[in-house]
Amino acid sequence: MSEIGAQPKRSRRRRIAMALGLIVLILIAIFALPMINVGRYRLRVAQSISEAIGRPVHIDNITLSMLPTPGFTLENFVISEDPEFGAEPVMRANQVHVTLRLSSLWRRKLEASSISLTEPSVNLVRAENGRWNLQGILMHATQVDAAPTAQPKAGSKPRFPYIEATSARVNLKLGNEKTPFSLTEAEFALWLPNPDEWRIRLEAHPSRTDTDASDTGVLRIEGTLKHADSFSQVPIDLHGVWTKAQLGETSKVLTGADAGLRGTLEWGANVKGTFAESNVQTWIKLEGLRRAEFFPSQPISAEIRCGLRATNRFLTLDDVKCEAPVDAGAVSLAGRIDDVREPEKAEIQLGLHQVAADTLLNWLKVASSRVSPQWTASGTIDADLTYGAVSGWKGNLTANKLGLSAKDHEVIKDQTVELTDVAVTPVVFKGRPGLNPENNNLQGDLRRYAFTFDRLPVDLGGKNPAQINGRFDSHLSLLQITGEADAAETRDLALLTPLGDQIDPLLPKDGSTQLNLSCERSSTIVCANIAPPARVARRR
């Protein structure tokens, strides 16, 4: 019984001793720390970090703290840049807090459990030779022999600290030019889950300094990097997504101006391989797509998914294959881009299979404010088009049972329209066989659409359908309308097209008329009567 009674007494003494020891540590932290001068360790800490990353490091001041855990606070922390990439620092942070592992306080060499950077500014630089400024830092860091961050017990190798940054800013430079693109309010984390594997996580808002872009969505990137002998051979497994991006604000970031589009964008990608060669799966989702000034009854939503092989450090894209379901049909795209910096030299094949004509018309309404929202279409479209750097776009397009209506009036009824040898070429038009090339007054890099309509029947309210003959490019080359028409009805329909102001003065005020109109483009579009219109009997 005496032994049993002694055990609680020993446990009580042990707890009392531990409590007294904790009180002593707190008193030391409160009264003794202010007398400790850690400034003399400033150069030693800077040298230690410099050796770890392979770049010179500067620290203005260093202070020691014990509560809630032991650590150092570094002020005005600067990592110098390699002269190859410019004079601006790689990174600058007003404050960096280093938390020490408690178990290392009893050993000769201190270990950091975490490194927290507050509001750092990072410059991401790509030199003209294609090298990035972070390549050297990454490769140098991978040569450091470290134990996993979460390893519970100390070993012969120091455990890699958990590195995090809050409210960071990432700036992009190409050569000596600082671009307006940046990532703001970035949250970053880096740690070592396994001895040969780095884990990264980034969340930020895309931004552009020369615009007032806001509500640009959130960019998230997460994945792993592994050790390798060279940067190109570093194994990567990355997953990224850009979500909640408003199209108007996104267009400001990408182009510098509001493109007049509204809706939301989601863009994601999975990348697996190395920096030299990777397999990429990517997708784009558009929701509620419309023009800023137009609220359609059914805004456009679309999703396209692509697979490709990226080589040459993501500059060359091979085996590109994309699919997008559209209504009961589909849009497909395949091709190759030798250099993403020169997209005009791509090789592309574009296919449309049973795509609803009204869907394409709705896309045109989004692409151009000149297409009236009162036009609707029926039928389906099939197309097979190819693009080459020299030949431009070429191919064929067929409209099956095409119908075109405006203001509840059906202008074209169940017509099959075949456009053969449709072309967009750098120098000349190549419409239907037999169509003469355009005059030699086009600039060599000017690309325009070229195709023809022959005797397309349209209902303009006359006793018999009128006919349209035309040749079109990105604007208008030639349009002829001949046949019977109701003047008032034709005027209403014409005013729903970009030619309305040209055609309106050429029509009688009312009644039926015989049309013989011709519209041609020189520097501007001009419509005229080939012959004076003849009045015809009103249709009953």
Side-chain angles (χ1 to χ4, degrees):
M1 293 293 293
S2 60
E3 292 181 2
I4 296 175
Q7 289 180 0
K9 291 181 179 180
R10 283 198 295 268
S11 298
R12 198 162 39 247
R13 292 193 192 104
R14 189 180 299 113
R15 288 197 295 269
I16 293 173
M18 291 177 63
L20 290 174
L22 181 61
I23 292 173
V24 171
L25 286 176
I26 293 174
L27 291 175
I28 292 174
I30 294 174
F31 297 105
L33 281 181
M35 295 183 291
I36 299 175
N37 179 17
V38 295
R40 58 181 177 171
Y41 296 108
R42 177 175 61 85
L43 294 179
R44 185 182 299 179
V45 171
Q47 181 64 27
S48 177
I49 298 175
S50 177
E51 291 174 356
I53 63 176
R55 298 299 310 143
V57 170
H58 173 81
I59 301 170
D60 270 359
N61 192 29
I62 180 171
T63 56
L64 175 65
S65 61
M66 288 295 291
L67 298 175
T69 56
F72 295 103
T73 298
L74 315 178
E75 297 178 6
N76 194 17
F77 179 81
V78 178
I79 301 177
S80 299
E81 181 62 279
D82 186 323
E84 176 187 356
F85 300 97
E88 285 192 86
V90 176
M91 187 183 71
R92 182 188 298 274
N94 292 332
Q95 191 176 86
V96 177
H97 186 72
V98 180
T99 302
L100 301 176
R101 295 184 186 272
L102 286 173
S103 60
S104 71
L105 296 177
W106 288 268
R107 298 195 305 274
R108 297 182 62 183
K109 191 168 185 179
L110 298 178
E111 276 190 76
S113 63
S114 67
I115 300 176
S116 301
L117 299 95
T118 303
E119 297 183 352
S121 178
V122 180
N123 287 320
L124 184 60
V125 186
R126 186 180 187 277
E128 294 182 358
N129 60 9
R131 281 175 46 82
W132 291 89
N133 63 335
L134 296 186
Q135 284 183 220
I137 295 177
L138 175 62
M139 292 308 301
H140 188 88
T142 59
Q143 306 306 317
V144 177
D145 202 7
T149 302
Q151 181 173 294
K153 294 183 179 180
S156 58
K157 304 175 185 176
R159 287 164 288 186
F160 188 82
Y162 183 87
I163 301 176
E164 61 180 351
T166 58
S167 301
R169 182 184 184 90
V170 182
N171 306 302
L172 176 63
K173 289 180 64 178
L174 299 178
N176 294 322
E177 179 184 357
K178 198 165 189 175
T179 72
F181 301 103
S182 63
L183 297 176
T184 60
E185 301 175 58
E187 307 290 323
F188 174 78
L190 171 68
W191 67 100
L192 196 70
N194 298 304
D196 65 340
E197 181 180 274
W198 304 81
R199 186 83 180 176
I200 62 171
R201 184 170 60 236
L202 171 69
E203 182 175 308
H205 298 277
S207 180
R208 184 168 175 137
T209 57
D210 57 354
T211 70
D212 59 352
S214 60
D215 201 11
T216 59
V218 179
L219 176 65
R220 295 185 180 92
I221 299 175
E222 187 169 352
T224 60
L225 307 173
K226 293 189 177 182
H227 292 190
D229 293 333
S230 66
F231 180 77
S232 296
Q233 298 304 316
V234 170
I236 57 176
D237 187 359
L238 301 175
H239 313 276
V241 62
W242 185 5
T243 61
K244 301 178 182 179
Q246 299 299 315
L247 285 174
E249 302 303 302
T250 301
S251 63
K252 289 181 183 179
V253 172
L254 298 178
T255 68
D258 188 345
L261 301 177
R262 297 296 180 265
T264 58
L265 164 74
E266 178 181 306
W267 179 18
N270 298 322
V271 182
K272 191 169 186 177
T274 66
F275 284 107
E277 181 175 350
S278 293
N279 291 318
V280 180
Q281 301 294 324
T282 183
W283 69 92
I284 297 176
K285 292 181 182 179
L286 298 172
E287 296 286 347
L289 179 61
R290 63 175 180 84
R291 292 202 66 80
E293 69 278 6
F294 175 50
F295 290 86
S297 57
Q298 292 184 337
I300 294 174
S301 295
E303 179 178 351
I304 183 170
R305 291 185 173 271
C306 300
L308 56 96
R309 184 168 59 93
T311 59
N312 191 23
R313 299 184 184 180
F314 298 96
L315 293 179
T316 300
L317 307 182
D318 288 309
D319 302 327
V320 179
K321 294 179 181 178
C322 302
E323 291 283 344
V326 179
D327 306 315
V331 175
S332 62
L333 183 145
R336 167 187 169 84
I337 303 177
D338 282 331
D339 193 328
V340 295
R341 295 167 297 184
E342 298 177 317
E344 69 278 4
K345 295 182 179 180
E347 298 175 2
I348 301 172
Q349 297 86 46
L350 175 65
L352 279 68
H353 176 67
Q354 295 293 297
V355 176
D358 197 52
T359 297
L360 292 182
L361 181 60
N362 287 336
W363 279 94
L364 288 175
K365 292 174 184 177
V366 171
S368 174
S369 60
R370 296 167 66 88
V371 181
S372 170
Q374 299 188 52
W375 287 96
T376 59
S378 61
T380 60
I381 306 294
D382 289 294
D384 184 12
L385 303 172
T386 61
Y387 175 84
V390 177
S391 61
W393 283 100
K394 287 185 177 181
N396 304 310
L397 183 147
T398 301
N400 308 290
K401 294 185 177 181
L402 178 65
L404 191 62
S405 304
K407 284 188 173 182
D408 298 324
H409 174 71
E410 193 169 16
V411 180
I412 299 176
K413 303 177 182 178
D414 294 335
Q415 294 295 316
T416 297
V417 180
E418 295 184 2
L419 303 177
T420 59
D421 292 336
V422 176
V424 189
T425 61
V427 180
V428 297
F429 293 116
K430 293 183 179 179
R432 280 192 168 186
L435 180 65
N436 293 326
E438 191 76 351
N439 295 330
N440 295 324
N441 59 357
L442 298 180
Q443 297 179 9
D445 61 350
L446 185 61
R447 289 162 170 78
R448 291 179 175 156
Y449 297 91
F451 53 86
T452 63
F453 289 116
D454 284 338
R455 297 181 297 279
L456 180 65
V458 293
D459 184 357
L460 298 178
K463 184 176 180 180
N464 297 307
Q467 290 184 347
I468 291 182
N469 298 302
R471 183 178 72 192
F472 290 83
D473 55 36
S474 57
H475 300 288
L476 168 71
S477 182
L478 173 65
L479 178 68
Q480 293 177 332
I481 307 174
T482 59
E484 299 177 18
D486 179 83
E489 196 167 299
T490 302
R491 178 178 287 104
D492 289 343
L493 293 174
L495 291 175
L496 296 177
T497 72
L499 301 177
D501 293 339
Q502 291 282 340
I503 294 177
D504 180 43
L506 305 178
L507 298 172
K509 292 184 178 180
D510 54 24
S512 296
T513 185
Q514 182 72 31
L515 292 180
N516 200 358
L517 296 175
S518 176
C519 299
E520 295 186 75
R521 175 183 53 80
S522 52
S523 58
T524 59
I525 298 175
V526 177
C527 296
N529 289 313
I530 298 175
R535 288 295 185 95
V536 298
R538 179 182 294 273
R539 181 178 66 175
R540 295 187 178 183

